[in-house]
Structures are given as C-alpha cells and as structure tokens.
Amino acid sequence: MSDSPVSQILRLLFSSRRIAGGPAAPCGQEPCVECFATHRAKVDHFIREGVPIHFVIPAFPAKSPNPRKVLGTLPDFAERLSLEFLQSFCDYVGHCYAPGARITICSDGHVFSDLVGVSDEDVTGYRGELEQLLKAIGSDAINTYGLEDAFDSSDYAEQRAQLTGRYALSLEAIRERAIQDPAAQAIFSGIHRFLFEDHFGRSEGVSRNKVREQTKSLAYQVVQRSDAWSSLVEDFFPDALRLSIHPQTAHSQKIGIHMMRTRDNWLTPWHGVALDEGDGMRLVKREEAERLGATVVLRGGRPSHYIAPQTVRASQLLLQETTR
C-alpha cells in the first residue's frame, strides 16, 4: 500500500477503529486493502480540492439517566478527553496533509430524548456545556450540529415529527432488517442493551424480563430515529466521511471509532466515566469505578472523574523517590 497522504490519513483513523466483533473479527487486527478502498475516494476528493477533510460523527447526545453509569447530567472529564482526542486527530491529519481536518459533531440528543428517559432541558444543558468544553480546550477544528439546526420549529416534539416524517423507515422495515441483516441485529442488540441497563436501573420492583420486553419496543424506535438522523446528516453533509461511536463491520461506509481506551466495545463517554489508572485513562461505568474503590475527583465543584487506588499509591511512591 502506497504511503500517500490518503493512506497515511486512513491508517491514522483506523488505528482507533471500533470494529464489530473486536480484534477477532475479519480485519480486526489490521485493515485490508478493501477497508481503505471504501473511503479512499472521499479523502481524495478533499485533497484534490485543497480543503480540510470533513468528518461527521453523530454523537454526544446527553448523559445516560442511569446513575450506576455516570456522574451526572453534564459532560465531565470523559467528554473532555474525547473532544481532545478528536481535536488531536485533526492536528495529526495536518501533519500528513497541510489543510488538516475538521469534524462536525451531529449531536443526536433531541432526536430520541423522549425514548431514552432524558429531558430536552438536560439535552440542551449538555450541548451547551459541550460547547464550553470545546472553547476550554481551544478547539478550532470541531463544530456541533443538532436537530434544532436542521428544522425551523423551536418545538422539539415537532422537530422529531418532521425528522421521522421525512427520513424514517417504518418500524416494520426496521424489525425485518434486524432479522435479516447481522450488522443491523448487532446495532439493535447494542442499543437494546443500553436501554435495558438504563431503565432497569430506575425501575425498582420491576422484573428484569419485564424491563427487557418493554425496552425492546423502545430500541426499535431508537434505531428508527437514529437511522433517520443518519440519513438527514448524509443529506446535509454528502461529501463528509462518516464516523460512528457504534462498532461497524470492516467494510461499512461508516467507520466506528474509540475516543478513549476501554474494554467494552460499546461503551461511550456518555454512558461511563473516566478512570485514572496511573498509566492512562480508561472508560468504565461508574459502578465499576466504585467497586474498585476509586476516589471521585471534583473539578470546578462538580464530579469530574475517578482515580484508582493503585494510582494514588504509585503517586505516593514516586513522590517519596523524588524527595529523597
């Protein structure tokens, strides 16, 4: 494979790829020629034009409503680290190709907030704080785009109705696709898992089987709206390369990416917390950090992230060594 700017940029991008099936999947360890070929034309288009390579990523909707997973309703250190990763990626592209790259975060919180148990007010607060974080890290390559930017109406329910009316497949088609297509089944299962965890964590006295059945119907609706939002994004940004926070198959038109180190192929910053393990940050669920005996860190008077016990002990030993 030639070491052209296109190849360098794709290799850089694929180094953080979130692939369905993990490392054991085809192309899970090393992208093949076809992996690159799927996206080469779009990268080459921007290079021929001499403009920054444009990526879009439907992401950063709002914090999970499950207190076992997250520290609150606003972005915290997990989001900050993820935004810094995206900005750094754009910086690194600039090393391979002088105009660099830019990323549009297509925030999908209002798209399905009513289905996942998050208020529109919390979604708005989350996006506002996300904008503040972008300013705080000095990002000049990332902008945001949301449902309210796509439609004239100021009513979120009306915006959701317009989205589904123009872009959504029927629920019957969504269900049939999940039965026939293994990749669609994997996406459905992942979203169903998130919804089950979030609803079960807030459904005291309700059986697991009952919550699982209730959230199955919701999961199909989330997939329906998520697909509709994806179609709108493609309509509004037809030339952009498509990133995803969900695991994607090797030769998909969407490239799944990890923005933080994690052992869970599906975990995202808005479903978890940052855990300082001494040798770096890892994304985990809040209950895992607390089970490990980690200590919560406050920044600006708000919970930010956790420090693992071994990190504190290692820091104490290092301090002792440097003060002898």
Side-chain angles (χ1 to χ4, degrees):
M1 186 179 298
S2 66
D3 201 34
S4 65
V6 176
S7 296
Q8 292 178 52
I9 291 164
L10 289 174
R11 194 177 301 114
L12 175 66
L13 179 61
F14 277 47
S15 66
S16 300
R17 183 163 62 159
R18 191 191 296 245
I19 191 168
C27 308
Q29 294 284 350
E30 185 72 24
C32 71
V33 172
E34 188 176 347
C35 290
F36 283 72
T38 304
H39 311 284
R40 187 176 291 277
K42 284 197 169 185
V43 177
D44 192 53
H45 163 75
F46 289 106
I47 291 178
R48 288 199 312 272
E49 294 291 322
V51 296
I53 298 165
H54 188 202
F55 297 86
V56 294
I57 179 168
F60 297 93
K63 279 294 193 183
S64 163
N66 187 345
R68 297 179 183 177
K69 291 182 176 182
V70 298
L71 284 164
T73 61
L74 294 174
D76 51 40
F77 205 47
E79 274 85 358
R80 180 173 184 134
L81 291 172
S82 298
L83 293 175
E84 289 181 341
F85 166 83
L86 294 176
Q87 177 63 45
S88 294
F89 169 72
C90 293
D91 296 339
Y92 294 154
V93 170
H95 175 74
C96 309
Y97 168 63
R102 62 187 181 95
I103 295 174
T104 299
I105 294 172
C106 298
S107 181
D108 46 7
H110 289 299
V111 171
F112 37 67
S113 54
D114 58 321
L115 299 176
V116 300
V118 177
S119 71
D120 283 316
E121 291 75 19
D122 281 347
V123 173
T124 299
Y126 180 92
R127 182 177 175 184
E129 189 68 19
L130 203 69
E131 298 280 4
Q132 292 302 311
L133 277 178
L134 287 171
K135 291 179 182 177
I137 68 173
S139 174
D140 57 2
I142 303 172
N143 69 301
T144 63
Y145 180 86
L147 192 63
E148 59 270 43
D149 300 308
F151 298 107
D152 291 334
S153 172
S154 60
D155 181 81
Y156 292 118
E158 173 60 26
Q159 291 170 16
R160 287 188 281 266
Q162 290 188 49
L163 174 70
T164 54
R166 295 186 194 181
Y167 291 99
L169 297 173
S170 69
L171 286 172
E172 291 74 17
I174 297 292
R175 291 191 186 95
E176 183 64 24
R177 190 180 63 186
I179 294 171
Q180 300 294 334
D181 182 357
Q185 176 62 49
I187 293 293
F188 167 78
S189 297
I191 290 174
H192 188 201
R193 169 191 154 193
F194 284 144
L195 288 170
F196 168 75
E197 291 173 346
D198 289 354
H199 280 70
F200 185 69
R202 297 176 292 124
S203 302
E204 191 172 341
V206 183
S207 72
R208 294 176 66 90
N209 286 339
K210 181 68 173 177
V211 174
R212 197 178 302 279
E213 189 58 34
Q214 290 171 343
T215 52
K216 186 175 183 179
S217 173
L218 288 174
Y220 282 120
Q221 294 178 68
V222 170
V223 172
Q224 179 192 43
R225 290 201 203 160
S226 180
D227 282 359
W229 180 240
S230 183
S231 295
L232 181 148
V233 168
E234 187 171 359
D235 207 13
F236 276 63
F237 307 104
D239 296 326
L241 281 88
R242 301 293 302 279
L243 303 180
S244 174
I245 48 81
H246 295 142
Q248 299 292 328
T249 53
H251 306 141
S252 169
Q253 292 296 322
K254 299 178 184 178
I255 306 167
I257 61 164
H258 282 291
M259 297 178 287
M260 285 185 66
R261 184 178 62 162
T262 178
R263 297 191 183 115
D264 185 333
N265 206 25
W266 280 86
L267 196 60
T268 68
W270 42 96
H271 281 95
V273 298
L275 176 67
D276 184 348
E277 296 184 308
D279 60 348
M281 290 284 186
R282 181 164 66 91
L283 189 64
V284 301
K285 293 175 184 175
R286 177 182 180 176
E287 61 184 358
E288 179 183 344
E290 293 181 345
R291 189 166 59 246
L292 294 171
T295 303
V296 68
V297 175
L298 300 181
R299 295 276 178 89
R302 293 208 317 254
S304 170
H305 62 284
Y306 283 89
I307 296 178
Q310 69 269 21
T311 304
V312 177
R313 289 195 293 270
S315 298
Q316 290 172 337
L317 291 173
L318 179 62
L319 182 61
Q320 290 171 8
E321 287 293 327
T322 56
T323 53
R324 283 178 184 173

PDB file of all heavy atoms in Angstrom, residues 223-255:
ATOM      1  N   VAL A 223     -33.595   2.949  17.063  1.00  0.00           N
ATOM      2  CA  VAL A 223     -32.912   2.619  15.811  1.00  0.00           C
ATOM      3  C   VAL A 223     -33.570   3.353  14.650  1.00  0.00           C
ATOM      4  O   VAL A 223     -32.883   3.904  13.776  1.00  0.00           O
ATOM      5  CB  VAL A 223     -32.928   1.099  15.561  1.00  0.00           C
ATOM      6  CG1 VAL A 223     -32.397   0.787  14.164  1.00  0.00           C
ATOM      7  CG2 VAL A 223     -32.087   0.375  16.606  1.00  0.00           C
ATOM      8  N   GLN A 224     -34.895   3.383  14.636  1.00  0.00           N
ATOM      9  CA  GLN A 224     -35.619   4.071  13.565  1.00  0.00           C
ATOM     10  C   GLN A 224     -35.215   5.543  13.491  1.00  0.00           C
ATOM     11  O   GLN A 224     -34.888   6.062  12.423  1.00  0.00           O
ATOM     12  CB  GLN A 224     -37.128   3.963  13.812  1.00  0.00           C
ATOM     13  CG  GLN A 224     -37.973   4.669  12.752  1.00  0.00           C
ATOM     14  CD  GLN A 224     -39.432   4.805  13.178  1.00  0.00           C
ATOM     15  OE1 GLN A 224     -39.715   5.147  14.336  1.00  0.00           O
ATOM     16  NE2 GLN A 224     -40.355   4.523  12.265  1.00  0.00           N
ATOM     17  N   ARG A 225     -35.200   6.216  14.642  1.00  0.00           N
ATOM     18  CA  ARG A 225     -34.865   7.648  14.645  1.00  0.00           C
ATOM     19  C   ARG A 225     -33.371   7.871  14.406  1.00  0.00           C
ATOM     20  O   ARG A 225     -32.978   8.840  13.761  1.00  0.00           O
ATOM     21  CB  ARG A 225     -35.295   8.275  15.967  1.00  0.00           C
ATOM     22  CG  ARG A 225     -36.796   8.367  16.118  1.00  0.00           C
ATOM     23  CD  ARG A 225     -37.169   9.409  17.127  1.00  0.00           C
ATOM     24  NE  ARG A 225     -38.488   9.165  17.677  1.00  0.00           N
ATOM     25  CZ  ARG A 225     -38.922   9.662  18.817  1.00  0.00           C
ATOM     26  NH1 ARG A 225     -38.124  10.430  19.552  1.00  0.00           N
ATOM     27  NH2 ARG A 225     -40.147   9.413  19.249  1.00  0.00           N
ATOM     28  N   SER A 226     -32.562   6.982  14.941  1.00  0.00           N
ATOM     29  CA  SER A 226     -31.124   7.101  14.723  1.00  0.00           C
ATOM     30  C   SER A 226     -30.799   6.981  13.236  1.00  0.00           C
ATOM     31  O   SER A 226     -29.981   7.737  12.694  1.00  0.00           O
ATOM     32  CB  SER A 226     -30.377   6.019  15.510  1.00  0.00           C
ATOM     33  OG  SER A 226     -28.992   6.118  15.315  1.00  0.00           O
ATOM     34  N   ASP A 227     -31.451   6.031  12.568  1.00  0.00           N
ATOM     35  CA  ASP A 227     -31.266   5.878  11.122  1.00  0.00           C
ATOM     36  C   ASP A 227     -31.769   7.099  10.369  1.00  0.00           C
ATOM     37  O   ASP A 227     -31.163   7.535   9.381  1.00  0.00           O
ATOM     38  CB  ASP A 227     -32.010   4.632  10.628  1.00  0.00           C
ATOM     39  CG  ASP A 227     -31.270   3.341  10.938  1.00  0.00           C
ATOM     40  OD1 ASP A 227     -30.175   3.412  11.526  1.00  0.00           O
ATOM     41  OD2 ASP A 227     -31.793   2.273  10.592  1.00  0.00           O
ATOM     42  N   ALA A 228     -32.899   7.657  10.821  1.00  0.00           N
ATOM     43  CA  ALA A 228     -33.444   8.859  10.185  1.00  0.00           C
ATOM     44  C   ALA A 228     -32.462  10.019  10.335  1.00  0.00           C
ATOM     45  O   ALA A 228     -32.215  10.771   9.380  1.00  0.00           O
ATOM     46  CB  ALA A 228     -34.796   9.216  10.800  1.00  0.00           C
ATOM     47  N   TRP A 229     -31.890  10.154  11.531  1.00  0.00           N
ATOM     48  CA  TRP A 229     -30.905  11.219  11.765  1.00  0.00           C
ATOM     49  C   TRP A 229     -29.673  10.993  10.893  1.00  0.00           C
ATOM     50  O   TRP A 229     -29.121  11.934  10.314  1.00  0.00           O
ATOM     51  CB  TRP A 229     -30.528  11.252  13.236  1.00  0.00           C
ATOM     52  CG  TRP A 229     -29.528  12.297  13.635  1.00  0.00           C
ATOM     53  CD1 TRP A 229     -28.308  12.101  14.206  1.00  0.00           C
ATOM     54  CD2 TRP A 229     -29.668  13.727  13.519  1.00  0.00           C
ATOM     55  NE1 TRP A 229     -27.675  13.294  14.455  1.00  0.00           N
ATOM     56  CE2 TRP A 229     -28.492  14.312  14.040  1.00  0.00           C
ATOM     57  CE3 TRP A 229     -30.663  14.560  13.021  1.00  0.00           C
ATOM     58  CZ2 TRP A 229     -28.287  15.688  14.075  1.00  0.00           C
ATOM     59  CZ3 TRP A 229     -30.470  15.935  13.054  1.00  0.00           C
ATOM     60  CH2 TRP A 229     -29.294  16.481  13.572  1.00  0.00           C
ATOM     61  N   SER A 230     -29.260   9.750  10.771  1.00  0.00           N
ATOM     62  CA  SER A 230     -28.121   9.423   9.921  1.00  0.00           C
ATOM     63  C   SER A 230     -28.404   9.812   8.468  1.00  0.00           C
ATOM     64  O   SER A 230     -27.531  10.350   7.770  1.00  0.00           O
ATOM     65  CB  SER A 230     -27.809   7.932  10.023  1.00  0.00           C
ATOM     66  OG  SER A 230     -26.676   7.590   9.273  1.00  0.00           O
ATOM     67  N   SER A 231     -29.634   9.565   8.001  1.00  0.00           N
ATOM     68  CA  SER A 231     -29.999   9.921   6.628  1.00  0.00           C
ATOM     69  C   SER A 231     -30.016  11.436   6.451  1.00  0.00           C
ATOM     70  O   SER A 231     -29.585  11.958   5.412  1.00  0.00           O
ATOM     71  CB  SER A 231     -31.376   9.346   6.282  1.00  0.00           C
ATOM     72  OG  SER A 231     -31.342   7.936   6.273  1.00  0.00           O
ATOM     73  N   LEU A 232     -30.512  12.156   7.462  1.00  0.00           N
ATOM     74  CA  LEU A 232     -30.506  13.619   7.390  1.00  0.00           C
ATOM     75  C   LEU A 232     -29.077  14.142   7.331  1.00  0.00           C
ATOM     76  O   LEU A 232     -28.765  15.038   6.529  1.00  0.00           O
ATOM     77  CB  LEU A 232     -31.247  14.212   8.591  1.00  0.00           C
ATOM     78  CG  LEU A 232     -31.346  15.730   8.653  1.00  0.00           C
ATOM     79  CD1 LEU A 232     -32.646  16.164   9.331  1.00  0.00           C
ATOM     80  CD2 LEU A 232     -30.161  16.359   9.414  1.00  0.00           C
ATOM     81  N   VAL A 233     -28.208  13.587   8.181  1.00  0.00           N
ATOM     82  CA  VAL A 233     -26.806  14.020   8.199  1.00  0.00           C
ATOM     83  C   VAL A 233     -26.155  13.778   6.840  1.00  0.00           C
ATOM     84  O   VAL A 233     -25.418  14.629   6.319  1.00  0.00           O
ATOM     85  CB  VAL A 233     -26.036  13.289   9.319  1.00  0.00           C
ATOM     86  CG1 VAL A 233     -24.530  13.484   9.175  1.00  0.00           C
ATOM     87  CG2 VAL A 233     -26.503  13.785  10.687  1.00  0.00           C
ATOM     88  N   GLU A 234     -26.443  12.627   6.253  1.00  0.00           N
ATOM     89  CA  GLU A 234     -25.887  12.323   4.930  1.00  0.00           C
ATOM     90  C   GLU A 234     -26.428  13.294   3.880  1.00  0.00           C
ATOM     91  O   GLU A 234     -25.715  13.696   2.955  1.00  0.00           O
ATOM     92  CB  GLU A 234     -26.217  10.889   4.545  1.00  0.00           C
ATOM     93  CG  GLU A 234     -25.544  10.438   3.264  1.00  0.00           C
ATOM     94  CD  GLU A 234     -25.706   8.945   3.018  1.00  0.00           C
ATOM     95  OE1 GLU A 234     -26.328   8.259   3.849  1.00  0.00           O
ATOM     96  OE2 GLU A 234     -25.203   8.479   1.981  1.00  0.00           O
ATOM     97  N   ASP A 235     -27.689  13.681   4.033  1.00  0.00           N
ATOM     98  CA  ASP A 235     -28.314  14.623   3.117  1.00  0.00           C
ATOM     99  C   ASP A 235     -27.675  16.012   3.222  1.00  0.00           C
ATOM    100  O   ASP A 235     -27.442  16.685   2.218  1.00  0.00           O
ATOM    101  CB  ASP A 235     -29.812  14.707   3.438  1.00  0.00           C
ATOM    102  CG  ASP A 235     -30.656  15.102   2.236  1.00  0.00           C
ATOM    103  OD1 ASP A 235     -30.139  15.082   1.106  1.00  0.00           O
ATOM    104  OD2 ASP A 235     -31.840  15.432   2.444  1.00  0.00           O
ATOM    105  N   PHE A 236     -27.408  16.429   4.463  1.00  0.00           N
ATOM    106  CA  PHE A 236     -26.860  17.765   4.701  1.00  0.00           C
ATOM    107  C   PHE A 236     -25.353  17.824   4.455  1.00  0.00           C
ATOM    108  O   PHE A 236     -24.820  18.875   4.103  1.00  0.00           O
ATOM    109  CB  PHE A 236     -27.175  18.205   6.136  1.00  0.00           C
ATOM    110  CG  PHE A 236     -28.537  18.815   6.310  1.00  0.00           C
ATOM    111  CD1 PHE A 236     -29.680  18.078   6.064  1.00  0.00           C
ATOM    112  CD2 PHE A 236     -28.680  20.132   6.717  1.00  0.00           C
ATOM    113  CE1 PHE A 236     -30.939  18.626   6.217  1.00  0.00           C
ATOM    114  CE2 PHE A 236     -29.946  20.692   6.872  1.00  0.00           C
ATOM    115  CZ  PHE A 236     -31.082  19.944   6.625  1.00  0.00           C
ATOM    116  N   PHE A 237     -24.651  16.707   4.666  1.00  0.00           N
ATOM    117  CA  PHE A 237     -23.186  16.674   4.516  1.00  0.00           C
ATOM    118  C   PHE A 237     -22.790  15.508   3.604  1.00  0.00           C
ATOM    119  O   PHE A 237     -22.151  14.547   4.049  1.00  0.00           O
ATOM    120  CB  PHE A 237     -22.514  16.527   5.886  1.00  0.00           C
ATOM    121  CG  PHE A 237     -22.944  17.550   6.907  1.00  0.00           C
ATOM    122  CD1 PHE A 237     -23.818  17.213   7.933  1.00  0.00           C
ATOM    123  CD2 PHE A 237     -22.470  18.856   6.846  1.00  0.00           C
ATOM    124  CE1 PHE A 237     -24.209  18.150   8.877  1.00  0.00           C
ATOM    125  CE2 PHE A 237     -22.854  19.801   7.785  1.00  0.00           C
ATOM    126  CZ  PHE A 237     -23.736  19.454   8.802  1.00  0.00           C
ATOM    127  N   PRO A 238     -23.165  15.556   2.336  1.00  0.00           N
ATOM    128  CA  PRO A 238     -22.993  14.394   1.454  1.00  0.00           C
ATOM    129  C   PRO A 238     -21.546  14.011   1.181  1.00  0.00           C
ATOM    130  O   PRO A 238     -21.266  12.849   0.885  1.00  0.00           O
ATOM    131  CB  PRO A 238     -23.707  14.831   0.166  1.00  0.00           C
ATOM    132  CG  PRO A 238     -23.655  16.330   0.190  1.00  0.00           C
ATOM    133  CD  PRO A 238     -23.786  16.702   1.628  1.00  0.00           C
ATOM    134  N   ASP A 239     -20.625  14.950   1.256  1.00  0.00           N
ATOM    135  CA  ASP A 239     -19.236  14.650   0.916  1.00  0.00           C
ATOM    136  C   ASP A 239     -18.415  14.152   2.106  1.00  0.00           C
ATOM    137  O   ASP A 239     -17.319  13.605   1.923  1.00  0.00           O
ATOM    138  CB  ASP A 239     -18.548  15.897   0.336  1.00  0.00           C
ATOM    139  CG  ASP A 239     -19.174  16.345  -0.977  1.00  0.00           C
ATOM    140  OD1 ASP A 239     -19.623  15.467  -1.738  1.00  0.00           O
ATOM    141  OD2 ASP A 239     -19.227  17.562  -1.222  1.00  0.00           O
ATOM    142  N   ALA A 240     -18.922  14.365   3.316  1.00  0.00           N
ATOM    143  CA  ALA A 240     -18.136  14.073   4.516  1.00  0.00           C
ATOM    144  C   ALA A 240     -17.954  12.579   4.744  1.00  0.00           C
ATOM    145  O   ALA A 240     -18.813  11.764   4.375  1.00  0.00           O
ATOM    146  CB  ALA A 240     -18.804  14.698   5.735  1.00  0.00           C
ATOM    147  N   LEU A 241     -16.834  12.222   5.365  1.00  0.00           N
ATOM    148  CA  LEU A 241     -16.619  10.845   5.795  1.00  0.00           C
ATOM    149  C   LEU A 241     -17.420  10.612   7.067  1.00  0.00           C
ATOM    150  O   LEU A 241     -17.479  11.469   7.950  1.00  0.00           O
ATOM    151  CB  LEU A 241     -15.137  10.569   6.048  1.00  0.00           C
ATOM    152  CG  LEU A 241     -14.300  10.311   4.797  1.00  0.00           C
ATOM    153  CD1 LEU A 241     -13.776  11.629   4.234  1.00  0.00           C
ATOM    154  CD2 LEU A 241     -13.140   9.373   5.106  1.00  0.00           C
ATOM    155  N   ARG A 242     -18.003   9.415   7.172  1.00  0.00           N
ATOM    156  CA  ARG A 242     -18.927   9.122   8.259  1.00  0.00           C
ATOM    157  C   ARG A 242     -18.244   8.349   9.373  1.00  0.00           C
ATOM    158  O   ARG A 242     -17.808   7.219   9.185  1.00  0.00           O
ATOM    159  CB  ARG A 242     -20.107   8.316   7.726  1.00  0.00           C
ATOM    160  CG  ARG A 242     -20.895   9.022   6.630  1.00  0.00           C
ATOM    161  CD  ARG A 242     -21.617  10.244   7.160  1.00  0.00           C
ATOM    162  NE  ARG A 242     -22.522   9.847   8.239  1.00  0.00           N
ATOM    163  CZ  ARG A 242     -23.736   9.322   8.045  1.00  0.00           C
ATOM    164  NH1 ARG A 242     -24.183   9.153   6.812  1.00  0.00           N
ATOM    165  NH2 ARG A 242     -24.495   8.982   9.074  1.00  0.00           N
ATOM    166  N   LEU A 243     -18.146   8.959  10.546  1.00  0.00           N
ATOM    167  CA  LEU A 243     -17.646   8.288  11.734  1.00  0.00           C
ATOM    168  C   LEU A 243     -18.831   7.831  12.573  1.00  0.00           C
ATOM    169  O   LEU A 243     -19.934   8.352  12.459  1.00  0.00           O
ATOM    170  CB  LEU A 243     -16.755   9.229  12.555  1.00  0.00           C
ATOM    171  CG  LEU A 243     -15.553   9.844  11.834  1.00  0.00           C
ATOM    172  CD1 LEU A 243     -14.781  10.748  12.783  1.00  0.00           C
ATOM    173  CD2 LEU A 243     -14.654   8.760  11.263  1.00  0.00           C
ATOM    174  N   SER A 244     -18.600   6.860  13.452  1.00  0.00           N
ATOM    175  CA  SER A 244     -19.665   6.335  14.302  1.00  0.00           C
ATOM    176  C   SER A 244     -19.091   5.950  15.659  1.00  0.00           C
ATOM    177  O   SER A 244     -17.931   5.547  15.761  1.00  0.00           O
ATOM    178  CB  SER A 244     -20.304   5.102  13.646  1.00  0.00           C
ATOM    179  OG  SER A 244     -21.241   4.494  14.520  1.00  0.00           O
ATOM    180  N   ILE A 245     -19.910   6.077  16.696  1.00  0.00           N
ATOM    181  CA  ILE A 245     -19.482   5.614  18.024  1.00  0.00           C
ATOM    182  C   ILE A 245     -19.935   4.170  18.271  1.00  0.00           C
ATOM    183  O   ILE A 245     -19.647   3.606  19.320  1.00  0.00           O
ATOM    184  CB  ILE A 245     -19.960   6.558  19.152  1.00  0.00           C
ATOM    185  CG1 ILE A 245     -21.450   6.912  19.013  1.00  0.00           C
ATOM    186  CG2 ILE A 245     -19.136   7.840  19.131  1.00  0.00           C
ATOM    187  CD1 ILE A 245     -22.411   5.888  19.523  1.00  0.00           C
ATOM    188  N   HIS A 246     -20.638   3.585  17.301  1.00  0.00           N
ATOM    189  CA  HIS A 246     -21.011   2.173  17.383  1.00  0.00           C
ATOM    190  C   HIS A 246     -20.004   1.321  16.615  1.00  0.00           C
ATOM    191  O   HIS A 246     -19.451   1.777  15.604  1.00  0.00           O
ATOM    192  CB  HIS A 246     -22.402   1.946  16.789  1.00  0.00           C
ATOM    193  CG  HIS A 246     -23.491   2.627  17.543  1.00  0.00           C
ATOM    194  ND1 HIS A 246     -24.571   3.222  16.926  1.00  0.00           N
ATOM    195  CD2 HIS A 246     -23.674   2.833  18.868  1.00  0.00           C
ATOM    196  CE1 HIS A 246     -25.371   3.742  17.830  1.00  0.00           C
ATOM    197  NE2 HIS A 246     -24.844   3.521  19.018  1.00  0.00           N
ATOM    198  N   PRO A 247     -19.764   0.075  17.043  1.00  0.00           N
ATOM    199  CA  PRO A 247     -18.905  -0.819  16.260  1.00  0.00           C
ATOM    200  C   PRO A 247     -19.491  -1.034  14.869  1.00  0.00           C
ATOM    201  O   PRO A 247     -20.700  -1.245  14.728  1.00  0.00           O
ATOM    202  CB  PRO A 247     -18.913  -2.123  17.068  1.00  0.00           C
ATOM    203  CG  PRO A 247     -19.334  -1.722  18.449  1.00  0.00           C
ATOM    204  CD  PRO A 247     -20.260  -0.567  18.277  1.00  0.00           C
ATOM    205  N   GLN A 248     -18.643  -0.961  13.860  1.00  0.00           N
ATOM    206  CA  GLN A 248     -19.086  -1.134  12.483  1.00  0.00           C
ATOM    207  C   GLN A 248     -18.327  -2.300  11.848  1.00  0.00           C
ATOM    208  O   GLN A 248     -17.201  -2.606  12.237  1.00  0.00           O
ATOM    209  CB  GLN A 248     -18.831   0.137  11.673  1.00  0.00           C
ATOM    210  CG  GLN A 248     -19.562   1.367  12.183  1.00  0.00           C
ATOM    211  CD  GLN A 248     -21.065   1.297  12.008  1.00  0.00           C
ATOM    212  OE1 GLN A 248     -21.564   0.695  11.053  1.00  0.00           O
ATOM    213  NE2 GLN A 248     -21.811   1.918  12.927  1.00  0.00           N
ATOM    214  N   THR A 249     -18.967  -2.940  10.875  1.00  0.00           N
ATOM    215  CA  THR A 249     -18.292  -4.021  10.163  1.00  0.00           C
ATOM    216  C   THR A 249     -17.132  -3.459   9.349  1.00  0.00           C
ATOM    217  O   THR A 249     -17.072  -2.257   9.062  1.00  0.00           O
ATOM    218  CB  THR A 249     -19.274  -4.760   9.237  1.00  0.00           C
ATOM    219  OG1 THR A 249     -19.924  -3.812   8.384  1.00  0.00           O
ATOM    220  CG2 THR A 249     -20.320  -5.506  10.054  1.00  0.00           C
ATOM    221  N   ALA A 250     -16.225  -4.334   8.953  1.00  0.00           N
ATOM    222  CA  ALA A 250     -14.940  -3.912   8.380  1.00  0.00           C
ATOM    223  C   ALA A 250     -15.089  -2.983   7.181  1.00  0.00           C
ATOM    224  O   ALA A 250     -14.364  -2.003   7.054  1.00  0.00           O
ATOM    225  CB  ALA A 250     -14.126  -5.141   7.994  1.00  0.00           C
ATOM    226  N   HIS A 251     -16.013  -3.266   6.281  1.00  0.00           N
ATOM    227  CA  HIS A 251     -16.090  -2.515   5.032  1.00  0.00           C
ATOM    228  C   HIS A 251     -17.344  -1.646   4.964  1.00  0.00           C
ATOM    229  O   HIS A 251     -17.824  -1.312   3.881  1.00  0.00           O
ATOM    230  CB  HIS A 251     -16.012  -3.463   3.836  1.00  0.00           C
ATOM    231  CG  HIS A 251     -14.801  -4.338   3.891  1.00  0.00           C
ATOM    232  ND1 HIS A 251     -14.818  -5.662   3.526  1.00  0.00           N
ATOM    233  CD2 HIS A 251     -13.534  -4.080   4.310  1.00  0.00           C
ATOM    234  CE1 HIS A 251     -13.612  -6.181   3.700  1.00  0.00           C
ATOM    235  NE2 HIS A 251     -12.825  -5.240   4.189  1.00  0.00           N
ATOM    236  N   SER A 252     -17.848  -1.264   6.131  1.00  0.00           N
ATOM    237  CA  SER A 252     -19.002  -0.377   6.193  1.00  0.00           C
ATOM    238  C   SER A 252     -18.636   1.022   5.697  1.00  0.00           C
ATOM    239  O   SER A 252     -17.479   1.438   5.761  1.00  0.00           O
ATOM    240  CB  SER A 252     -19.505  -0.291   7.641  1.00  0.00           C
ATOM    241  OG  SER A 252     -20.450   0.741   7.798  1.00  0.00           O
ATOM    242  N   GLN A 253     -19.649   1.750   5.215  1.00  0.00           N
ATOM    243  CA  GLN A 253     -19.439   3.138   4.815  1.00  0.00           C
ATOM    244  C   GLN A 253     -19.194   4.030   6.040  1.00  0.00           C
ATOM    245  O   GLN A 253     -18.707   5.150   5.911  1.00  0.00           O
ATOM    246  CB  GLN A 253     -20.656   3.664   4.041  1.00  0.00           C
ATOM    247  CG  GLN A 253     -20.847   3.022   2.683  1.00  0.00           C
ATOM    248  CD  GLN A 253     -19.707   3.327   1.724  1.00  0.00           C
ATOM    249  OE1 GLN A 253     -19.171   4.427   1.698  1.00  0.00           O
ATOM    250  NE2 GLN A 253     -19.313   2.330   0.938  1.00  0.00           N
ATOM    251  N   LYS A 254     -19.543   3.531   7.231  1.00  0.00           N
ATOM    252  CA  LYS A 254     -19.286   4.254   8.477  1.00  0.00           C
ATOM    253  C   LYS A 254     -18.075   3.631   9.168  1.00  0.00           C
ATOM    254  O   LYS A 254     -17.900   2.407   9.143  1.00  0.00           O
ATOM    255  CB  LYS A 254     -20.497   4.189   9.408  1.00  0.00           C
ATOM    256  CG  LYS A 254     -21.759   4.800   8.833  1.00  0.00           C
ATOM    257  CD  LYS A 254     -22.913   4.637   9.797  1.00  0.00           C
ATOM    258  CE  LYS A 254     -24.215   5.154   9.204  1.00  0.00           C
ATOM    259  NZ  LYS A 254     -25.357   4.963  10.129  1.00  0.00           N
ATOM    260  N   ILE A 255     -17.275   4.468   9.793  1.00  0.00           N
ATOM    261  CA  ILE A 255     -16.080   3.991  10.493  1.00  0.00           C
ATOM    262  C   ILE A 255     -16.303   4.168  11.992  1.00  0.00           C
ATOM    263  O   ILE A 255     -16.379   5.293  12.502  1.00  0.00           O
ATOM    264  CB  ILE A 255     -14.831   4.784  10.060  1.00  0.00           C
ATOM    265  CG1 ILE A 255     -14.674   4.756   8.542  1.00  0.00           C
ATOM    266  CG2 ILE A 255     -13.582   4.227  10.742  1.00  0.00           C
ATOM    267  CD1 ILE A 255     -13.659   5.759   8.016  1.00  0.00           C
TER     268      ILE A 255
END
